[in-house]
Amino acid sequence: METSELLKKVRKIEIKSRGLTNQIFAGEYHSAFKGRGMAFSEVREYQYGDDIRNIDWNVSARFNDPYVKIFEEERELTVMLLIDVSGSSHFGTQKMFKNELIAEIAAVLSFSSIQNNDKVGVIFFSDKVEKFIPPKKGRSHILRIIREIIELQPESNKTNIAEALRYLTNAVKKRCTAFVLSDFNDFGDLPSDIKFEEALRIAGNKHDLGAIKIFDPREVELPNVGLLEAVDAETGEVIWVDTSSAAVRKTYNQWWSDAQNSLATAFAKARVDWVSVATNEDYVKPLIKLFKHR
């Protein structure tokens, strides 16, 4: 991608996501993700109703009047975005590709974070960790993240979310707020599902974890368009599907429904809040829903 085209895309995403952040998300984000604790701010004279446990006896003795310590919430958090860059994210039949929607949502979360004085870091993953950007503050850092989302060329097209979760658990020592942005299309194979559920549970116990599932409406049900050539974006496997068959369409729909129910069960067991967002859907309401569940 040429530099000028890249900058235009980055700027477009920045304008949209900052606008949403300022108008909608900042307050919701602040309410949802509390700081690490309370930090001392100042002292003032005791007022009726103040907690006597907060009296500063040294200052009170100096001025011969009771003074209390005032505490404020420590706002600074570390926010980690786990972004799926596997081959299946390069798909879309509606308003945008899945990876484009992931880029916008990641930008909104990033700008919401820095507006609340939080650090933001990113783990880009396929079936391995493709790139790790350590948490930092500032607009230039967020723009770097957006550029990487648009420009990053992963070494692998496959997916292993469990590997990304394990990396989060090991690389980020202190408790953080983390969001996994993925289509979760590798969920459905029993051995990998077990590893995913274990990694999800461990990461969810250590960090404040949330998940955002991205999907395209065409993935939910097959259209009746006759013989269809389908290519697996992650393995390159080509298969022919007879979509004119009602039995084939029903089997596929049942597979999709079962996979979503299994995924929902995995999140519930790990006590991880999650929402799903379609490529033709306004993501504002799902994100606010996710924030309010915190």
Side-chain angles (χ1 to χ4, degrees), residues 189-225:
D189 178 59
L190 188 58
S192 63
D193 288 355
I194 294 172
K195 292 179 181 178
F196 167 74
E197 290 179 13
E198 180 185 12
L200 187 70
R201 177 181 56 80
I202 294 171
N205 286 337
K206 182 176 181 181
H207 301 295
D208 183 6
L209 191 62
I212 302 170
K213 175 181 170 60
I214 307 298
F215 71 97
D216 187 87
R218 189 54 70 207
E219 294 176 306
V220 179
E221 59 181 348
L222 291 175
N224 185 355
V225 293

Side-chain angles (χ1 to χ4, degrees), residues 68-164:
V68 293
K69 297 176 181 178
I70 304 299
F71 295 87
E72 290 183 351
E73 180 189 1
E74 279 189 286
R75 266 302 317 162
E76 183 179 303
L77 298 171
T78 295
V79 176
M80 291 299 304
L81 304 178
L82 282 67
I83 296 179
D84 185 347
V85 293
S86 63
S88 62
S89 67
H90 298 271
F91 177 77
T93 62
Q94 305 290 321
K95 290 167 59 178
M96 61 178 70
F97 286 168
K98 288 188 285 185
N99 65 324
E100 293 174 329
L101 180 56
I102 286 174
E104 282 199 14
I105 293 176
V108 166
L109 293 173
S110 297
F111 281 115
S112 296
S113 301
I114 64 169
Q115 187 157 319
N116 281 280
N117 202 37
D118 297 336
K119 297 177 181 178
V120 186
V122 182
I123 297 171
F124 294 100
F125 70 91
S126 53
D127 61 345
K128 62 180 181 179
V129 173
E130 296 280 351
K131 191 162 193 173
F132 173 60
I133 299 179
K136 288 184 182 178
K137 297 181 184 180
R139 175 177 174 270
S140 61
H141 179 64
I142 301 306
L143 294 181
R144 179 201 170 189
I145 289 173
I146 297 172
R147 283 196 302 270
E148 290 287 358
I149 294 172
I150 295 171
E151 207 173 30
L152 183 70
Q153 297 295 321
E155 293 182 4
S156 174
N157 285 323
K158 297 181 180 179
T159 313
N160 187 335
I161 302 174
E163 184 62 33

Side-chain angles (χ1 to χ4, degrees), residues 145-267:
I145 289 173
I146 297 172
R147 283 196 302 270
E148 290 287 358
I149 294 172
I150 295 171
E151 207 173 30
L152 183 70
Q153 297 295 321
E155 293 182 4
S156 174
N157 285 323
K158 297 181 180 179
T159 313
N160 187 335
I161 302 174
E163 184 62 33
L165 290 168
R166 282 194 293 268
Y167 189 90
L168 171 71
T169 300
N170 295 329
V172 182
K173 301 303 181 185
K174 293 183 179 179
R175 183 174 177 83
C176 74
T177 296
F179 298 94
V180 184
L181 291 89
S182 173
D183 57 16
F184 293 91
N185 276 2
D186 71 325
F187 193 83
D189 178 59
L190 188 58
S192 63
D193 288 355
I194 294 172
K195 292 179 181 178
F196 167 74
E197 290 179 13
E198 180 185 12
L200 187 70
R201 177 181 56 80
I202 294 171
N205 286 337
K206 182 176 181 181
H207 301 295
D208 183 6
L209 191 62
I212 302 170
K213 175 181 170 60
I214 307 298
F215 71 97
D216 187 87
R218 189 54 70 207
E219 294 176 306
V220 179
E221 59 181 348
L222 291 175
N224 185 355
V225 293
L227 202 58
L228 179 69
E229 182 184 24
V231 181
D232 188 319
E234 300 197 357
T235 65
E237 181 183 1
V238 178
I239 60 172
W240 289 90
V241 182
D242 183 8
T243 63
S244 64
S245 167
V248 168
R249 296 198 304 274
K250 183 179 179 181
T251 300
Y252 177 85
N253 292 349
Q254 188 61 53
W255 168 82
W256 174 269
S257 179
D258 290 345
Q260 304 323 297
N261 290 337
S262 296
L263 185 61
T265 299
F267 285 136

